[in-house]
Every structure is written in structure tokens, then in C-alpha cells.
Amino acid sequence: MTYDDINFPFSDAPDTAVIVCSHIIDRQAPILFVSHDEEDGMWQFLCGKKHSEDEARIVSLKYVYCLEPAIGLLKNLPCGFYAERKSQTDRWIIRKA
């Protein structure tokens, strides 16, 4: 999938700033935890490991979607909820934060 030629599923703008961990950006780990923060609507895409602040990156929502299109299943995740899975092939489990 190319960055410019996708059917973007989210209602948020493709250039919405999101937080992602460096492990995902460096393709060292898949996305296993997604939160849609209640306070500010910020999306976070993490690998499920513990992180320090210096491992956080700010990228566009479209960039993360291109890295891992499976997050498109979470396009309607309400603010104040999170989704997690044990592996890249498991189903997302959605919970209220």
C-alpha cells in the first residue's frame, strides 16, 4: 500500500497528529495497544511494552494506517476507550479507559 493511494477509513483528517512508539516506527514491533484519549481526542499507537518519553514519536494518522492497515478496524473507537490485542493476528478487545 502506498502512502498516497489509500482509502482512508477514519473520520479524523489523515494529517491528524498521533503518538506512536519508536518500536512501531522502526518496525521492531506491531501495534498491540491503541487508545483514543478522552481529554483531547489524541490517538496513541503502542506496541504494549513500557516506554520512556524519548521513545514517543508524533506522526500523522495516515502514516500509522499505512504502516498497519489493521488499525482501520478501530476507526470508530470512541474517545475514552482503548483497544488491545496479544498479537498482530488476534482480534482487538475494546474497553473503556
Side-chain angles (χ1 to χ4, degrees), residues 80-96:
F81 283 75
Y82 67 93
E84 60 186 340
R85 57 188 179 171
K86 293 184 184 205
S87 75
Q88 205 167 9
T89 58
D90 286 331
R91 299 178 102 177
W92 292 105
I93 297 170
I94 297 171
R95 296 186 173 102
K96 184 156 178 53

Side-chain angles (χ1 to χ4, degrees), residues 18-32:
V18 302
I19 297 171
V20 63
C21 73
S22 60
H23 303 115
I24 293 166
I25 296 290
D26 296 339
R27 297 185 182 256
Q28 296 173 344
I31 298 170
L32 299 179

Side-chain angles (χ1 to χ4, degrees), residues 16-74:
T16 297
V18 302
I19 297 171
V20 63
C21 73
S22 60
H23 303 115
I24 293 166
I25 296 290
D26 296 339
R27 297 185 182 256
Q28 296 173 344
I31 298 170
L32 299 179
F33 182 88
V34 176
S35 71
H36 198 185
D37 298 343
E38 188 165 20
E39 302 81 38
D40 57 9
M42 177 69 90
W43 288 92
Q44 295 186 48
F45 299 92
L46 307 171
C47 66
K49 299 176 185 171
K50 293 196 180 234
H51 299 92
S52 60
E53 278 189 35
D54 66 328
E55 293 174 309
R57 305 289 182 267
I58 303 291
V59 298
S60 72
L61 182 56
K62 186 175 180 181
Y63 181 84
V64 177
Y65 177 69
C66 287
L67 282 177
E68 194 162 336
I71 66 166
L73 295 171
L74 302 173

